Amino acid sequence: YLAAFGFLMLAAAMPAAAQRTRRPAPRPTPKPTPARPTASPIVLAAKQQVANQLSNVNMFVDKMGPIALDIENIDKEAKTNRRIKKETIDANETNKKKLVLAIRGMRQALTTLETDFRTKPQLARYLPQIQGITSLCTQSEDNAIAGRFVASKGPLRQAAQKLSDTMAVLP
């Protein structure tokens, strides 16, 4: 019996040795993520204004295209064809004035926006991207006053690109 008991003890000890306890794998300690710097309310408001003006300029250029082409075509017809109706010429002159006034209004809004970036210290770091939109709008207005309405879209497209670049860098 003693030999059988010893054999059983030995058999019971072997599986116990095979079942050794494992140490739990060390868990990586979570590294704190740095707090994302929040933008100041002035920067957030400026971003909203830039987005609004970008939308306004793009919509204006899209609507201005066919109107500018019609104005220039009627001007060419009036110079070459004496049979064009006076009402058409008068309506065209009215449309020219309206378009110049609309560009002037766009220039005022863009001038205000650029001035904000120049005068507010929180926005000064983003000034290089938006700088020059006022002069581009002035070029557009000058082209329209000179009767080059189709050409006046070019500087407005460049201003829209500058606004888009500014949107890309604003937080």
Side-chain angles (χ1 to χ4, degrees):
Y1 290 107
L2 194 53
F5 181 70
F7 184 69
L8 284 175
M9 291 299 274
L10 184 61
M14 281 199 189
Q19 296 178 1
R20 63 184 150 151
T21 60
R22 289 187 197 172
R23 259 191 230 164
R27 290 186 187 167
T29 56
K31 294 180 181 176
T33 55
R36 188 173 172 201
T38 57
S40 73
I42 293 173
V43 174
L44 293 176
K47 184 172 185 171
Q48 184 62 44
Q49 288 175 337
V50 170
N52 290 343
Q53 290 305 322
L54 177 60
S55 175
N56 290 344
V57 170
N58 284 333
M59 189 180 339
F60 184 77
V61 169
D62 290 343
K63 289 183 179 182
M64 178 182 162
I67 295 169
L69 194 59
D70 287 344
I71 289 172
E72 286 190 7
N73 287 339
I74 291 173
D75 277 349
K76 284 178 188 175
E77 272 186 52
K79 288 179 183 176
T80 59
N81 186 0
R82 302 282 181 204
R83 295 182 186 177
I84 197 163
K85 293 181 182 180
K86 180 158 176 45
E87 296 86 27
T88 305
I89 294 172
D90 292 341
N92 197 39
E93 290 300 318
T94 303
N95 288 338
K96 287 180 187 180
K97 290 176 184 174
K98 286 181 182 178
L99 194 54
V100 169
L101 285 175
I103 293 172
R104 193 168 289 151
M106 180 76 58
R107 181 178 55 96
Q108 288 173 348
L110 293 177
T111 300
T112 302
L113 183 62
E114 187 174 352
T115 302
D116 283 348
F117 276 78
R118 288 183 190 282
T119 58
K120 294 181 180 173
Q122 297 91 338
L123 301 176
R125 63 189 283 200
Y126 309 110
L127 181 62
Q129 283 78 23
I130 203 166
Q131 191 169 11
I133 59 173
T134 301
S135 63
L136 288 169
C137 210
T138 302
Q139 288 174 13
S140 177
E141 184 180 358
D142 291 344
N143 282 336
I145 291 170
R148 297 184 306 266
F149 293 97
V150 174
S152 68
K153 292 188 315 183
L156 289 177
R157 283 193 179 116
Q158 291 174 352
Q161 182 60 46
K162 284 187 168 282
L163 290 168
S164 181
D165 293 345
T166 304
M167 283 294 293
V169 297
L170 284 171

